[in-house]
């Protein structure tokens, strides 16, 4: 497939993920006034899902820059599809946006504003660092949230809520997937590079209790850190057999560029997730092609069917039409689509005027697909996303310069990777966390 890359989008993605504020240049008929206003919580959990001729679904995310075009195409695709089909019970669906500006201190206010707007549910937030606070808000306000962030044990246990669903990959499942891949290798030791988010904490704790290899060193840096040469040298000093990473955006590009320049990945493999987007491959010869293996939420390198090509093209066309941006495929486009589509699929079951309890029950029973995966659903136990995990190695495509392809692809069953009731119970006991779940 012809490579679709724009340096402007990459810069915008970096700015957005670094939480730099800017102007919101995206306005469409499905958005509402995004002026920051302070509102107080109101409404009752027994209120119905919609009023009038419109069903409102909230979107709470950082879209202060033009990087909204990085994730919004997935949401636009979902809403265009359902509205073109006549809506739900004859009612059109509308996204209602609120901008967190990437600042966790804004989260509660923006969620309260969406509640006052009368939304049936909310998509967001967009980071695992904000997810625990959002889950606690959902529990206190009895509003359904579906977050495309990576699911951590903090969300599953400490901030557990019947009102919170995670439409992103699961950190524990990623560790189990990596373990499945390395279990037949004679690795003796490994190192971990992470940030200050909950997923990084999980990578450190869960890998130590799961892998046979010894965890010889861990380093956690503040999200957005870019001067990492000393970190690279420190990790290399342990002479690891492999590394695992829980980093993204500018921290990812800076770490792997500097690590490659210093020769860290001349011989060893790194394991992680979401590593084929243009933000990462644009570092060129410093990209650790052939030495990065892991889980992909959206393996958009795979364009084998007309359906896959059509959906990818539609996402990119939305970015062009709505935001005047020439985009390239990014994992967040698909994860935000899944989050938004999950609520839409649940409303199809529960009805436009359903109660919150009925919506939760429907979310626990949905099952839909994309051109890449046959089944997407949620577990009732922890509201973790259940879909096949694609595990692969990224290598340069020798047929098209500057693009990557996937090798040694394995499709893993999420039900075999996600933590069990007993896993959660043992983890809670080990770390002194509350655990009062009733086993079904």
């Amino acid at each position: 497939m012809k490579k679709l890359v724009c340096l402007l989008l990459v810069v915008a993605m970096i700015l957005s993920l670094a939480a730099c504020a800017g102007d919101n240049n995206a306005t469409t008929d499905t958005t509402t006034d995004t002026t920051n206003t302070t509102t107080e919580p109101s409404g009752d959990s027994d209120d119905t899902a919609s009023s009038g001729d419109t069903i409102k679904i909230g979107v709470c995310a950082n879209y202060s820059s033009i990087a909204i075009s990085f994730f919004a195409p997935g949401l636009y695709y979902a809403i265009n599809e359902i509205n073109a089909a006549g809506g739900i019970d004859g009612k059109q669906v509308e996204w209602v946006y609120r901008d967190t500006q990437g600042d966790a201190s804004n989260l509660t206010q923006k969620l309260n504003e969406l509640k006052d707007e009368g939304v049936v549910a909310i998509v967001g937030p967009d980071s695992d660092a904000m997810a625990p606070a959002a889950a606690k808000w959902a529990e206190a306000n009895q509003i359904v949230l579906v977050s495309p962030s990576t699911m951590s044990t903090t969300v599953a246990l400490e901030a557990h809520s019947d009102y919170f669903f995670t439409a992103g990959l699961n950190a524990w499942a990623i560790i189990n997937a990596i373990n499945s891949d390395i279990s037949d290798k004679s690795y003796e030791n490994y190192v971990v590079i992470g940030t200050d988010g909950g997923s990084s904490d999980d990578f450190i704790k869960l890998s130590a209790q799961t892998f046979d290899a010894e965890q010889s060193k861990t380093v956690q840096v503040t999200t957005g850190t870019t001067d990492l040469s000393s970190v690279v040298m420190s990790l290399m000093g342990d002479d690891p057999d492999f590394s695992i990473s829980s980093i993204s955006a500018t921290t990812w590009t800076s770490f792997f560029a500097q690590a490659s320049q210093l020769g860290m990945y001349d011989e060893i493999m790194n394991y992680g997730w979401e590593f084929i987007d243009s933000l990462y491959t644009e570092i060129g010869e410093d990209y650790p092609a052939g030495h990065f293996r892991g889980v992909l939420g959206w393996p958009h390198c795979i364009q084998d069917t007309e359906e896959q090509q059509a959906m990818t093209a539609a996402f990119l066309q939305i970015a062009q039409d709505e935001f005047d941006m020439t985009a390239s495929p990014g994992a967040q486009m698909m994860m935000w689509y899944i989050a938004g589509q999950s609520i839409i699929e649940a409303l199809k079951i529960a009805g436009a005027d359903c109660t919150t309890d009925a919506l939760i029950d429907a979310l626990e029973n949905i099952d839909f697909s994309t051109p890449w995966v046959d089944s997407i659903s949620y577990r009732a136990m922890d509201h973790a996303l259940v879909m096949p995990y694609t595990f692969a190695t990224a290598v340069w495509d020798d047929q098209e310069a500057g693009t990557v392809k996937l090798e040694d692809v394995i499709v893993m069953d999420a039900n075999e990777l996600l933590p069990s009731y007993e896993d959660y119970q043992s983890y809670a006991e080990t770390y002194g966390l509350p655990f009062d779940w009733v086993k079904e």
Side-chain angles (χ1 to χ4, degrees):
M1 179 182 177
K2 184 178 179 180
K3 184 182 179 186
L4 297 168
V5 175
C6 177
L7 181 59
L8 285 175
L9 180 62
V10 173
V11 173
M13 288 159 58
I14 292 173
L15 291 173
S16 175
L17 291 165
C20 295
D23 293 330
N24 173 27
N25 297 325
T27 56
T28 74
D29 292 339
T30 59
T31 58
T32 60
D33 181 11
T34 59
T35 301
N36 293 337
T37 58
T38 302
T39 58
E40 297 298 327
S42 64
D44 184 85
S45 63
D46 292 330
D47 286 348
T48 57
S50 62
S51 59
D53 297 323
T54 302
I55 301 172
K56 295 181 179 180
I57 302 175
V59 179
C60 190
N62 174 23
Y63 63 102
S64 301
S65 76
I66 53 177
I68 186 176
S69 59
F70 180 44
F71 67 83
L75 293 175
Y76 276 60
Y77 184 94
I79 202 170
N80 291 345
E81 192 174 45
I82 188 62
N83 285 341
I88 298 171
D89 296 340
K91 296 184 178 183
Q92 294 286 284
V93 179
E94 174 188 359
W95 298 126
V96 181
Y97 292 88
R98 286 297 181 270
D99 182 7
T100 64
Q101 299 179 331
D103 186 346
S105 66
N106 292 331
L107 181 64
T108 298
Q109 176 188 328
K110 299 308 173 183
L111 291 173
N112 285 339
E113 290 177 12
L114 289 170
K115 182 180 179 180
D116 282 349
E117 285 280 352
V119 298
V120 54
I122 298 171
V123 180
D126 49 350
S127 75
D128 62 306
M130 293 188 192
K136 292 177 180 178
W137 182 92
E139 182 70 20
N141 290 273
Q142 299 183 358
I143 299 289
V144 171
L145 267 72
V146 180
S147 172
S149 61
T150 305
M151 186 175 190
S152 66
T153 53
T154 304
V155 167
L157 292 170
E158 297 176 60
H160 181 78
S161 172
D162 289 339
Y163 298 89
F164 194 85
F165 291 74
T166 301
L169 298 174
N170 182 285
W172 201 324
I174 294 171
I175 289 297
N176 285 338
I178 295 172
N179 187 56
S180 174
D181 193 69
I182 67 174
S183 59
D184 62 347
K185 298 176 176 62
S186 56
Y187 290 144
E188 294 183 1
N189 74 312
Y190 70 98
V191 294
V192 185
I193 172 67
T195 61
D196 45 8
S199 297
S200 292
D201 292 338
D202 280 354
F203 262 46
I204 292 170
K205 293 177 182 176
L206 295 172
S207 66
Q209 73 179 42
T210 304
F211 296 170
D212 289 334
E214 177 189 359
Q215 183 183 99
S216 60
K217 181 170 290 184
T218 67
V219 176
Q220 288 180 272
V221 299
T222 303
T223 300
T225 301
T226 57
D227 184 2
L228 295 164
S229 58
S230 61
V231 170
V232 173
M233 295 298 294
S234 175
L235 295 175
M236 291 178 66
D238 275 48
D239 192 23
D241 291 327
F242 69 97
S243 66
I244 63 173
S245 59
S246 178
I247 53 179
S248 62
T250 53
T251 303
W252 194 105
T253 55
S254 298
F255 175 80
F256 283 103
Q258 293 165 45
S260 294
Q261 292 163 11
L262 292 169
M264 181 171 179
Y265 293 106
D266 289 349
E267 302 292 338
I268 70 170
M269 185 76 72
N270 181 80
Y271 292 87
W273 83 101
E274 306 300 13
F275 48 91
I276 61 172
D277 293 353
S278 62
L279 171 64
Y280 304 134
T281 60
E282 281 297 309
I283 65 175
E285 62 183 16
D286 290 329
Y287 181 78
H291 294 272
F292 204 126
R293 183 162 174 78
V295 175
L296 298 167
W298 183 24
H300 51 71
C301 288
I302 300 174
Q303 295 286 326
D304 296 336
T305 69
E306 291 183 2
E307 291 79 8
Q308 291 169 345
Q309 296 167 19
M311 190 172 197
T312 303
F315 281 177
L316 305 187
Q317 190 62 51
I318 289 170
Q320 180 67 58
D321 293 344
E322 301 295 340
F323 310 109
D324 195 25
M325 295 295 297
T326 301
S328 58
Q332 286 301 309
M333 290 181 184
M334 180 58 70
M335 305 320 289
W336 279 84
Y337 166 76
I338 290 174
Q341 188 65 23
S342 295
I343 296 173
I344 291 171
E345 293 291 334
L347 287 170
K348 290 179 184 178
I349 296 173
D353 297 311
C354 68
T355 63
T356 300
D357 287 343
L359 183 61
I360 292 172
D361 184 67
L363 277 165
E364 292 178 348
N365 288 280
I366 62 172
D367 194 330
F368 63 101
S369 64
T370 74
W372 288 265
V373 296
D374 294 332
S375 177
I376 297 172
S377 61
Y378 295 88
R379 298 199 304 185
M381 178 176 68
D382 56 1
H383 291 170
L385 180 72
V386 180
M387 74 173 189
Y389 276 49
T390 300
F391 201 89
T393 301
V395 299
W396 289 121
D397 187 343
D398 54 12
Q399 300 299 313
E400 192 169 356
T403 64
V404 296
K405 63 180 181 180
L406 303 180
E407 288 187 346
D408 300 325
V409 178
I410 303 172
V411 179
M412 301 181 179
D413 185 348
N415 288 304
E416 297 179 0
L417 300 175
L418 291 167
S420 65
Y421 174 94
E422 289 75 18
D423 288 333
Y424 278 129
Q425 185 177 42
S426 175
Y427 185 94
E429 291 173 356
T430 299
Y431 294 103
L433 301 175
F435 188 81
D436 55 0
W437 299 5
V438 177
K439 187 173 184 180
E440 298 181 0

